Amino acid sequence: MVDVLSDEIARFVRAVGPDPDETLSEMDDYAEREGFPHVGPEVGAFLRFVARMADAERIFEFGSGYGYSAYWMAAALPDDGEIVLTEVDEDELELAREYMDRGGYDDLAQYELGDAMETVEDYTGPFDVVLIDHQKHRYADAFEAVRSKVPVGGVVIADNAITAGPIDFEALLTIAEGGAPDDVNEHTRGIADYLERVTDDPDFETIVLPLGEGIAASYRVS
Ligand SMILES: C[S@@+](CC[C@H](N)C(=O)[O-])C[C@H]1O[C@@H](n2cnc3c(N)ncnc32)[C@H](O)[C@@H]1O
């Protein structure tokens, strides 16, 4: 994980923020051990905070991995709530099931193996919170696919809005300021296109927050 915050500030945000439970700590250890690009505790805590603020009853994720982000958000759901986890990797999804079960969230979860872009078509929504965290070049398409299922007051969050291994931040900044850099890789282009798509949408208000690898939060205002 390429943290936007300095180590010291990240430690401070972690120290002041809500403590991960034992399972989440184990999941953090798993990410560290396996080099898995999970959203990390600062973003996890923020996702749960957003789900609480939105009074979320239904949540959809594009790219759930082994369930880390889903686990954080599930704690904000009511007993009859629902969170849809999508994942192309069968082993990751199976691990997600185990962790969600340990947290007592299994009854809330739908586990969907396969391309999230196809799975989202099988659900009518509404989704109060959506996390986009799969393939960066498909973020804008993911937003398009789920947009009509997000009610006023709902929030769409995209991870890696500032950085990640293959993202060229200089190019991203140039594009955000109206420039046109040469040789933009598809990951960077994907994030730039996504940010342009959501910020141009009059029904959403978007801000980028420098937490984790950067997140874009888009609130549906109309
Ligand atoms: C960066 S990880 C994030 C996982 C999770 N949100 C977390 O914080 O732990 C992205 C995940 O998306 C999955 N993925 C990639 N393309 C996908 C697709 N088209 N549909 C569903 N999942 C996908 C990858 O296998 C990977 O596990």
Side-chain angles (χ1 to χ4, degrees), residues 50-73:
V50 168
R52 292 198 199 286
M53 295 280 286
D55 279 331
E57 293 181 4
R58 303 186 72 218
I59 297 172
F60 190 95
E61 283 196 328
F62 290 84
S64 297
Y66 65 108
Y68 184 82
S69 44
Y71 190 104
W72 271 103
M73 289 192 283

mmCIF file of all heavy atoms in Angstrom, residues 50-73:
data_model
loop_
_atom_site.group_PDB
_atom_site.id
_atom_site.type_symbol
_atom_site.label_atom_id
_atom_site.label_comp_id
_atom_site.label_asym_id
_atom_site.label_seq_id
_atom_site.Cartn_x
_atom_site.Cartn_y
_atom_site.Cartn_z
ATOM 1 N N VAL A 50 -19.028 6.502 7.112
ATOM 2 C CA VAL A 50 -19.933 6.939 6.034
ATOM 3 C C VAL A 50 -21.203 6.079 6.042
ATOM 4 O O VAL A 50 -22.317 6.603 5.907
ATOM 5 C CB VAL A 50 -19.231 6.849 4.654
ATOM 6 C CG1 VAL A 50 -20.222 6.997 3.511
ATOM 7 C CG2 VAL A 50 -18.155 7.920 4.557
ATOM 8 N N ALA A 51 -21.041 4.780 6.215
ATOM 9 C CA ALA A 51 -22.210 3.893 6.233
ATOM 10 C C ALA A 51 -23.135 4.261 7.395
ATOM 11 O O ALA A 51 -24.364 4.239 7.269
ATOM 12 C CB ALA A 51 -21.757 2.435 6.335
ATOM 13 N N ARG A 52 -22.553 4.629 8.522
ATOM 14 C CA ARG A 52 -23.380 5.052 9.669
ATOM 15 C C ARG A 52 -24.100 6.363 9.343
ATOM 16 O O ARG A 52 -25.287 6.525 9.601
ATOM 17 C CB ARG A 52 -22.509 5.255 10.909
ATOM 18 C CG ARG A 52 -21.893 3.989 11.489
ATOM 19 C CD ARG A 52 -21.448 4.260 12.935
ATOM 20 N NE ARG A 52 -20.473 3.316 13.438
ATOM 21 C CZ ARG A 52 -20.736 2.054 13.796
ATOM 22 N NH1 ARG A 52 -21.944 1.572 13.667
ATOM 23 N NH2 ARG A 52 -19.779 1.282 14.282
ATOM 24 N N MET A 53 -23.350 7.328 8.786
ATOM 25 C CA MET A 53 -23.930 8.643 8.471
ATOM 26 C C MET A 53 -25.065 8.527 7.445
ATOM 27 O O MET A 53 -26.024 9.291 7.481
ATOM 28 C CB MET A 53 -22.852 9.568 7.883
ATOM 29 C CG MET A 53 -21.738 9.914 8.828
ATOM 30 S SD MET A 53 -22.175 11.207 9.975
ATOM 31 C CE MET A 53 -22.138 12.616 8.902
ATOM 32 N N ALA A 54 -24.918 7.587 6.533
ATOM 33 C CA ALA A 54 -25.922 7.418 5.470
ATOM 34 C C ALA A 54 -27.080 6.525 5.931
ATOM 35 O O ALA A 54 -27.987 6.246 5.141
ATOM 36 C CB ALA A 54 -25.258 6.810 4.227
ATOM 37 N N ASP A 55 -27.032 6.086 7.200
ATOM 38 C CA ASP A 55 -28.036 5.122 7.680
ATOM 39 C C ASP A 55 -28.161 3.960 6.696
ATOM 40 O O ASP A 55 -29.271 3.576 6.305
ATOM 41 C CB ASP A 55 -29.415 5.787 7.839
ATOM 42 C CG ASP A 55 -29.516 6.541 9.147
ATOM 43 O OD1 ASP A 55 -28.843 6.143 10.112
ATOM 44 O OD2 ASP A 55 -30.259 7.542 9.180
ATOM 45 N N ALA A 56 -27.042 3.466 6.277
ATOM 46 C CA ALA A 56 -27.029 2.474 5.193
ATOM 47 C C ALA A 56 -27.792 1.207 5.570
ATOM 48 O O ALA A 56 -27.641 0.671 6.668
ATOM 49 C CB ALA A 56 -25.580 2.119 4.837
ATOM 50 N N GLU A 57 -28.611 0.769 4.630
ATOM 51 C CA GLU A 57 -29.279 -0.524 4.770
ATOM 52 C C GLU A 57 -28.737 -1.519 3.751
ATOM 53 O O GLU A 57 -28.759 -2.719 3.973
ATOM 54 C CB GLU A 57 -30.797 -0.359 4.585
ATOM 55 C CG GLU A 57 -31.412 0.443 5.728
ATOM 56 C CD GLU A 57 -32.903 0.622 5.603
ATOM 57 O OE1 GLU A 57 -33.497 0.067 4.668
ATOM 58 O OE2 GLU A 57 -33.459 1.330 6.452
ATOM 59 N N ARG A 58 -28.284 -0.964 2.623
ATOM 60 C CA ARG A 58 -27.749 -1.851 1.573
ATOM 61 C C ARG A 58 -26.476 -1.241 0.998
ATOM 62 O O ARG A 58 -26.407 -0.045 0.726
ATOM 63 C CB ARG A 58 -28.787 -2.076 0.478
ATOM 64 C CG ARG A 58 -30.080 -2.659 1.035
ATOM 65 C CD ARG A 58 -31.060 -3.014 -0.046
ATOM 66 N NE ARG A 58 -30.630 -4.180 -0.780
ATOM 67 C CZ ARG A 58 -30.790 -4.329 -2.095
ATOM 68 N NH1 ARG A 58 -31.330 -3.377 -2.804
ATOM 69 N NH2 ARG A 58 -30.399 -5.427 -2.692
ATOM 70 N N ILE A 59 -25.498 -2.113 0.829
ATOM 71 C CA ILE A 59 -24.163 -1.681 0.373
ATOM 72 C C ILE A 59 -23.717 -2.598 -0.767
ATOM 73 O O ILE A 59 -23.994 -3.804 -0.737
ATOM 74 C CB ILE A 59 -23.151 -1.772 1.550
ATOM 75 C CG1 ILE A 59 -23.561 -0.807 2.679
ATOM 76 C CG2 ILE A 59 -21.722 -1.478 1.081
ATOM 77 C CD1 ILE A 59 -22.738 -0.956 3.964
ATOM 78 N N PHE A 60 -23.037 -2.020 -1.751
ATOM 79 C CA PHE A 60 -22.483 -2.822 -2.858
ATOM 80 C C PHE A 60 -21.001 -2.518 -2.997
ATOM 81 O O PHE A 60 -20.595 -1.359 -2.967
ATOM 82 C CB PHE A 60 -23.198 -2.491 -4.175
ATOM 83 C CG PHE A 60 -22.853 -3.434 -5.305
ATOM 84 C CD1 PHE A 60 -23.654 -4.542 -5.584
ATOM 85 C CD2 PHE A 60 -21.718 -3.224 -6.093
ATOM 86 C CE1 PHE A 60 -23.324 -5.421 -6.620
ATOM 87 C CE2 PHE A 60 -21.383 -4.099 -7.118
ATOM 88 C CZ PHE A 60 -22.192 -5.198 -7.396
ATOM 89 N N GLU A 61 -20.208 -3.577 -3.187
ATOM 90 C CA GLU A 61 -18.766 -3.405 -3.403
ATOM 91 C C GLU A 61 -18.343 -3.946 -4.758
ATOM 92 O O GLU A 61 -18.697 -5.084 -5.102
ATOM 93 C CB GLU A 61 -17.969 -4.209 -2.360
ATOM 94 C CG GLU A 61 -17.900 -3.617 -1.002
ATOM 95 C CD GLU A 61 -16.784 -4.289 -0.180
ATOM 96 O OE1 GLU A 61 -16.501 -5.503 -0.363
ATOM 97 O OE2 GLU A 61 -16.203 -3.607 0.651
ATOM 98 N N PHE A 62 -17.559 -3.170 -5.481
ATOM 99 C CA PHE A 62 -16.878 -3.655 -6.688
ATOM 100 C C PHE A 62 -15.466 -4.054 -6.247
ATOM 101 O O PHE A 62 -14.603 -3.190 -6.046
ATOM 102 C CB PHE A 62 -16.770 -2.544 -7.735
ATOM 103 C CG PHE A 62 -18.067 -2.126 -8.386
ATOM 104 C CD1 PHE A 62 -18.904 -1.200 -7.772
ATOM 105 C CD2 PHE A 62 -18.448 -2.657 -9.611
ATOM 106 C CE1 PHE A 62 -20.084 -0.798 -8.378
ATOM 107 C CE2 PHE A 62 -19.620 -2.265 -10.224
ATOM 108 C CZ PHE A 62 -20.451 -1.337 -9.605
ATOM 109 N N GLY A 63 -15.224 -5.342 -6.074
ATOM 110 C CA GLY A 63 -13.890 -5.807 -5.670
ATOM 111 C C GLY A 63 -13.777 -5.887 -4.161
ATOM 112 O O GLY A 63 -13.434 -4.913 -3.502
ATOM 113 N N SER A 64 -14.059 -7.092 -3.617
ATOM 114 C CA SER A 64 -14.104 -7.246 -2.152
ATOM 115 C C SER A 64 -12.890 -7.941 -1.577
ATOM 116 O O SER A 64 -12.701 -7.924 -0.361
ATOM 117 C CB SER A 64 -15.370 -8.017 -1.744
ATOM 118 O OG SER A 64 -16.513 -7.282 -2.097
ATOM 119 N N GLY A 65 -12.086 -8.582 -2.442
ATOM 120 C CA GLY A 65 -10.921 -9.291 -1.920
ATOM 121 C C GLY A 65 -11.338 -10.297 -0.864
ATOM 122 O O GLY A 65 -12.291 -11.062 -1.042
ATOM 123 N N TYR A 66 -10.636 -10.294 0.255
ATOM 124 C CA TYR A 66 -10.923 -11.253 1.335
ATOM 125 C C TYR A 66 -11.854 -10.642 2.388
ATOM 126 O O TYR A 66 -11.952 -11.151 3.500
ATOM 127 C CB TYR A 66 -9.618 -11.772 1.954
ATOM 128 C CG TYR A 66 -8.801 -10.710 2.658
ATOM 129 C CD1 TYR A 66 -8.712 -10.694 4.048
ATOM 130 C CD2 TYR A 66 -8.124 -9.738 1.944
ATOM 131 C CE1 TYR A 66 -7.973 -9.722 4.702
ATOM 132 C CE2 TYR A 66 -7.376 -8.752 2.590
ATOM 133 C CZ TYR A 66 -7.320 -8.758 3.965
ATOM 134 O OH TYR A 66 -6.590 -7.778 4.606
ATOM 135 N N GLY A 67 -12.546 -9.561 2.024
ATOM 136 C CA GLY A 67 -13.640 -9.057 2.850
ATOM 137 C C GLY A 67 -13.292 -7.943 3.817
ATOM 138 O O GLY A 67 -14.114 -7.569 4.660
ATOM 139 N N TYR A 68 -12.105 -7.355 3.685
ATOM 140 C CA TYR A 68 -11.668 -6.364 4.680
ATOM 141 C C TYR A 68 -12.577 -5.132 4.721
ATOM 142 O O TYR A 68 -13.096 -4.766 5.786
ATOM 143 C CB TYR A 68 -10.221 -5.958 4.394
ATOM 144 C CG TYR A 68 -9.649 -5.013 5.427
ATOM 145 C CD1 TYR A 68 -9.143 -5.503 6.629
ATOM 146 C CD2 TYR A 68 -9.628 -3.649 5.203
ATOM 147 C CE1 TYR A 68 -8.629 -4.640 7.579
ATOM 148 C CE2 TYR A 68 -9.106 -2.775 6.148
ATOM 149 C CZ TYR A 68 -8.606 -3.276 7.335
ATOM 150 O OH TYR A 68 -8.096 -2.418 8.279
ATOM 151 N N SER A 69 -12.784 -4.503 3.574
ATOM 152 C CA SER A 69 -13.630 -3.296 3.556
ATOM 153 C C SER A 69 -15.076 -3.656 3.917
ATOM 154 O O SER A 69 -15.761 -2.895 4.616
ATOM 155 C CB SER A 69 -13.552 -2.604 2.191
ATOM 156 O OG SER A 69 -13.633 -3.534 1.125
ATOM 157 N N ALA A 70 -15.528 -4.808 3.447
ATOM 158 C CA ALA A 70 -16.902 -5.238 3.749
ATOM 159 C C ALA A 70 -17.086 -5.441 5.252
ATOM 160 O O ALA A 70 -18.126 -5.078 5.822
ATOM 161 C CB ALA A 70 -17.221 -6.533 2.997
ATOM 162 N N TYR A 71 -16.087 -6.001 5.890
ATOM 163 C CA TYR A 71 -16.167 -6.280 7.328
ATOM 164 C C TYR A 71 -16.352 -4.973 8.106
ATOM 165 O O TYR A 71 -17.185 -4.881 8.993
ATOM 166 C CB TYR A 71 -14.902 -7.013 7.779
ATOM 167 C CG TYR A 71 -14.966 -7.559 9.190
ATOM 168 C CD1 TYR A 71 -15.160 -8.920 9.417
ATOM 169 C CD2 TYR A 71 -14.817 -6.717 10.300
ATOM 170 C CE1 TYR A 71 -15.199 -9.432 10.711
ATOM 171 C CE2 TYR A 71 -14.861 -7.221 11.599
ATOM 172 C CZ TYR A 71 -15.047 -8.577 11.790
ATOM 173 O OH TYR A 71 -15.087 -9.073 13.077
ATOM 174 N N TRP A 72 -15.559 -3.948 7.741
ATOM 175 C CA TRP A 72 -15.697 -2.654 8.422
ATOM 176 C C TRP A 72 -17.125 -2.117 8.252
ATOM 177 O O TRP A 72 -17.761 -1.682 9.211
ATOM 178 C CB TRP A 72 -14.716 -1.637 7.837
ATOM 179 C CG TRP A 72 -13.356 -1.596 8.467
ATOM 180 C CD1 TRP A 72 -12.213 -2.128 7.954
ATOM 181 C CD2 TRP A 72 -12.981 -0.972 9.711
ATOM 182 N NE1 TRP A 72 -11.152 -1.871 8.796
ATOM 183 C CE2 TRP A 72 -11.593 -1.168 9.882
ATOM 184 C CE3 TRP A 72 -13.681 -0.261 10.689
ATOM 185 C CZ2 TRP A 72 -10.893 -0.674 10.979
ATOM 186 C CZ3 TRP A 72 -12.986 0.231 11.794
ATOM 187 C CH2 TRP A 72 -11.614 0.012 11.931
ATOM 188 N N MET A 73 -17.617 -2.151 7.003
ATOM 189 C CA MET A 73 -18.923 -1.520 6.736
ATOM 190 C C MET A 73 -20.093 -2.317 7.297
ATOM 191 O O MET A 73 -21.105 -1.731 7.692
ATOM 192 C CB MET A 73 -19.098 -1.313 5.225
ATOM 193 C CG MET A 73 -18.194 -0.232 4.684
ATOM 194 S SD MET A 73 -18.614 0.263 3.002
ATOM 195 C CE MET A 73 -17.944 -1.089 2.047
#
